[in-house]
Amino acid sequence: MVASRNNSSHPLFFTLLGIPGLENYQLWIAFPFCVMYIVAVSGNVTILHIIRVDHTLHEPMYLFLALLAITDLVLSSSTQPKMLAILWFHDYKIEYHACLIQVFFIHSFSSVESGVLMAMALDRYVAICFPLRHSSILTTSVVIKLGAAVMVRGLLWVSPFCFMISRMPFCPNKIIPQSYCEHMAVLKLVCADTRVNRGYGLFVAFSVVGFDIIVISVSYVMILRAVLSLPTGEARLKAFGTCASHVCVILAFYIPALFTFLTHRFGHHVPRVVHIIFANFYLLVPPMLNPIIYGVRTKQIRDRVTRGVCRKHL
């Protein structure tokens, strides 16, 4: 069924299959995904609340952490409610425009998350390599401008995805064999030459993620050099501990993200169920782990949470 000729043969809806190959287990698979989503939402909301009410945390590191928490909330909430509806209630259909909106939010805020991780790496670099000038280099104004630039980059770079897809005709097949609308998955349903779309997708991936990974890598090489030059083992251990949580967050985001991106384009022999599981982890595990990692590793946040828990039990 087609909406109209004027809409370039757009379908009224797509069909999301959830996790093909595990149909008999989808009901039970939904429970751990639901738990992870609840942890992600509650953890990131807690981080945002603590940073908002504690004015001593209005520093670059925590402002970037607040932006990371907002990004994680958007990423997880743009996919998980629909995925749970598919797995529990067999609500497979998603309206055409809702699908494109999901594509936009997933890719734009993935770009934002990558940019925030890059900004946090720069913050760690300045804090360790130029500790006496940290507050003068990364002023609140600079942090706001850097955060705005990361946000605008994500929104502007990804917007053409949806615009280009909306101008193309679709084949009769309306089935997307995963649990959410992703650019490459939707593009495979187009009945036209998609080389421009694919080329632009590669350009965005390399210009955004590639640039961010280079900046993060250079920052940590400089950090490593600075840490190894510290005079005492205790000072080196403290500096390494400061960066350990950020490195864990970086790995938790980029490893499944790169696996998903490369599998879509080159991993034709990767089992579909493996690809889909990783695709879901990429949008759910980092938002769940980030508040846990920073809550455990950051003394100010850990102490604030502990005080809040103790008050409730008094």
Side-chain angles (χ1 to χ4, degrees), residues 68 112-121 216 246 249-250 253-254:
L68 183 67
V112 171
E113 177 133 354
S114 179
V116 173
L117 293 177
M118 176 198 66
M120 294 176 80
I216 290 170
H246 189 220
V249 168
I250 290 171
F253 175 75
Y254 281 115

Side-chain angles (χ1 to χ4, degrees), residues 126-269:
V126 175
I128 291 176
C129 297
F130 306 99
L132 299 179
R133 298 172 55 197
H134 180 257
S135 58
S136 61
I137 294 175
L138 285 177
T139 61
T140 302
S141 174
V142 171
V143 171
I144 292 174
K145 289 177 182 177
L146 187 55
V150 165
M151 185 72 71
V152 170
R153 183 191 67 171
L155 300 179
L156 290 183
W157 251 234
V158 171
S159 295
F161 282 154
C162 299
F163 176 76
M164 287 190 290
I165 289 178
S166 69
R167 308 294 296 176
M168 305 184 80
F170 284 82
C171 301
N173 176 33
K174 297 176 292 187
I175 297 175
I176 299 176
Q178 56 187 59
S179 56
Y180 59 85
C181 292
E182 191 267 346
H183 176 242
M184 284 299 297
V186 176
L187 203 60
K188 290 176 181 178
L189 305 183
V190 169
C191 279
D193 186 355
T194 59
R195 283 178 294 182
V196 173
N197 304 65
R198 293 172 184 269
Y200 183 72
L202 288 172
F203 164 74
V204 171
F206 286 111
S207 64
V208 173
V209 177
F211 175 79
D212 292 347
I213 289 178
I214 290 172
V215 173
I216 290 170
S217 301
V218 171
S219 298
Y220 272 94
V221 168
M222 302 300 291
I223 288 171
L224 185 60
R225 289 179 57 186
V227 168
L228 293 177
S229 66
L230 292 174
T232 65
E234 183 179 352
R236 287 194 292 270
L237 186 62
K238 183 178 179 180
F240 275 126
T242 302
C243 299
S245 56
H246 189 220
V247 172
C248 291
V249 168
I250 290 171
L251 294 177
F253 175 75
Y254 281 115
I255 289 176
L258 289 174
F259 177 86
T260 302
F261 172 79
L262 294 173
T263 301
H264 255 306
R265 287 161 175 79
F266 312 111
H268 304 296
H269 301 294

